Amino acid sequence: MTQQTGGVTTRLGVVAPRMEYRAVESGRELPDDVLFAVQFGRDDAPGPARGVARGVRVRLEPLSGAGLAEFWYANGAVRAGTAGAIRFAADDHHLAAVLEVPEHEHGGLQAATAHAYAQLARFQSQSGYPHLLRTWNYLDAINCGADDAERYRVFCTGRATGLQSLRVERAPAATVIGHHATTGLLQLYWLAGRAPGIAIENPRQTAPHHYPRQYGPTPPSFSRAMLVAPDLLMVSGTASIVGHASRHPGSVQRQMDEIFENLELLMARAHAHAPALSAQTGSGTSIKAYLRHREDLAVVERELARRLPAGTPFLVLAADVCRSDLLLEFDCLHAAPAR
């Protein structure tokens, strides 16, 4: 599958990791066919230990879906290793990697973020998997600080600085979320490929690199979604934003309605490139919700159960979103139904 963009032909990879939410088996090693596993909760929770090459544990409390982890299944044999502080695992098509940077070792968040992304850029340029497809970022106190000193804005500046040396034809899909706990860590993990993806934008939302100055000195560096293969769309963290403005402050129900409009428009646009993908949420849709206030949990659980096919697992995590007026944000993996 190819797409012509600005005179450059993009050829999608033919396969993508199969991803699912499944229960973690306490005391068990990761199966050999798992490329990478993402687990949430305390460091002493059951499952793969922090620091293993093929996984990461993010210290966000599960409010719904406790005991579930996100498993990425490999296509072929898995090779795992380290490169400095980076832990990675790869198959013949994709590479997953994680880097955890203590802020105090770099004098603050901006320098820590610039360091992390410079390390990512250096590693990726030598990895054999040159195409950065999807990133996840977790940090403490994301909304603390006034105006340009807000930590999310500081993070955006550090990320842009660190990525300067990496030739990126299209910004990856991305998530940036705040811990409720104090960890002292910037956690960064990512998926890269031998083949590029196709970046998908949402016409009802301003492209992030065109955000006006009111959101900080450095526009965010991400695409709204990335079509990784003909059977997988990876959607960035998606919130109740239309144009560049937050919508429906104070109403978690109305923010969810707006989020689903954004998700389904991205799915419809991806379907035009990849007909195997459904144009709307369905059995291949996996959602991870980041929720600011736990008292809104019942509304979120009810709405997810209503909109997803019966029995579809989902995660709701206690977390802070990049804007203080946003009550929740969704990560979304949208895959073609298994044949």
Side-chain angles (χ1 to χ4, degrees):
M1 176 181 297
T2 61
Q3 172 182 272
Q4 191 78 18
T5 306
V8 177
T9 299
T10 295
R11 182 178 297 276
L12 277 178
V14 295
V15 297
R18 180 174 62 87
M19 299 180 173
E20 68 174 359
Y21 298 145
R22 54 170 278 192
V24 176
E25 297 182 45
S26 181
R28 297 287 297 275
E29 295 293 325
L30 289 176
D32 291 342
D33 63 343
V34 171
L35 177 67
F36 198 72
V38 185
Q39 192 175 356
F40 298 89
R42 302 187 315 272
D43 288 348
D44 59 354
R50 240 188 94 196
V52 299
R54 291 191 292 146
V56 63
R57 188 190 300 274
V58 179
R59 286 186 58 189
L60 296 180
E61 178 191 359
L63 302 178
S64 186
L68 295 178
E70 186 175 302
F71 284 77
W72 306 0
Y73 291 95
N75 292 286
V78 177
R79 305 171 300 282
T82 60
I86 294 173
R87 309 189 304 272
F88 67 89
D91 62 19
D92 290 341
H93 304 276
H94 293 94
L95 175 144
V98 58
L99 177 59
E100 297 176 303
V101 177
E103 287 187 33
H104 75 272
E105 292 183 0
H106 301 275
L109 177 61
Q110 183 170 324
T113 305
H115 170 80
Y117 272 90
Q119 294 295 305
L120 177 154
R122 186 176 303 113
F123 172 75
Q124 285 301 132
S125 68
Q126 302 168 359
S127 69
Y129 301 80
H131 302 286
L132 191 59
L133 301 171
R134 181 69 164 88
T135 68
W136 290 261
N137 308 264
Y138 299 93
L139 57 141
D140 296 352
I142 194 169
N143 302 128
C144 287
D147 301 322
D148 288 349
E150 184 190 42
R151 281 172 57 83
Y152 175 64
R153 301 185 186 193
V154 169
F155 166 88
C156 287
T157 298
R159 174 171 58 181
T161 300
L163 280 175
Q164 285 177 349
S165 63
L166 183 65
R167 182 175 176 268
V168 179
E169 294 177 1
R170 55 197 61 78
T175 293
V176 187
I177 286 292
H179 295 116
H180 279 177
T182 299
T183 70
L185 285 178
L186 169 65
Q187 288 184 301
L188 164 63
Y189 63 94
W190 66 93
L191 179 73
R194 293 197 188 277
I198 294 175
I200 307 290
E201 290 298 332
N202 183 344
R204 75 193 299 263
Q205 293 183 304
T206 304
H209 60 278
H210 288 151
Y211 272 17
R213 177 62 178 82
Q214 72 190 78
Y215 297 106
T218 309
S221 308
F222 70 96
S223 298
R224 295 291 179 188
M226 185 67 70
L227 188 58
V228 172
D231 59 353
L232 181 64
L233 179 71
M234 303 184 81
V235 182
S236 291
T238 301
S240 177
I241 294 174
V242 179
H244 58 75
S246 303
R247 293 291 181 92
H248 317 301
S251 173
V252 71
Q253 176 65 64
R254 294 183 70 190
Q255 287 196 14
M256 286 188 74
D257 292 342
E258 209 71 74
I259 288 171
F260 272 103
E261 280 204 48
N262 285 329
L263 289 179
E264 297 211 337
L265 183 52
L266 288 167
M267 291 171 188
R269 289 173 68 84
H271 174 75
H273 296 286
L277 289 174
S278 171
Q280 58 190 17
T281 54
S283 59
T285 306
S286 300
I287 287 178
K288 179 164 67 239
Y290 303 102
L291 182 63
R292 188 179 293 275
H293 302 305
R294 65 181 62 230
E295 57 265 30
D296 291 326
L297 177 61
V299 175
V300 174
E301 288 182 318
R302 183 182 67 240
E303 191 67 10
L304 288 174
R306 182 179 75 84
R307 288 181 178 264
L308 296 174
T312 302
F314 57 80
L315 281 165
V316 183
L317 303 165
D320 290 330
V321 186
C322 64
R323 297 183 189 178
S324 58
D325 55 358
L326 295 174
L327 302 176
L328 76 166
E329 179 173 303
F330 286 0
D331 272 358
C332 179
L333 301 169
H334 186 58
R339 295 182 178 180

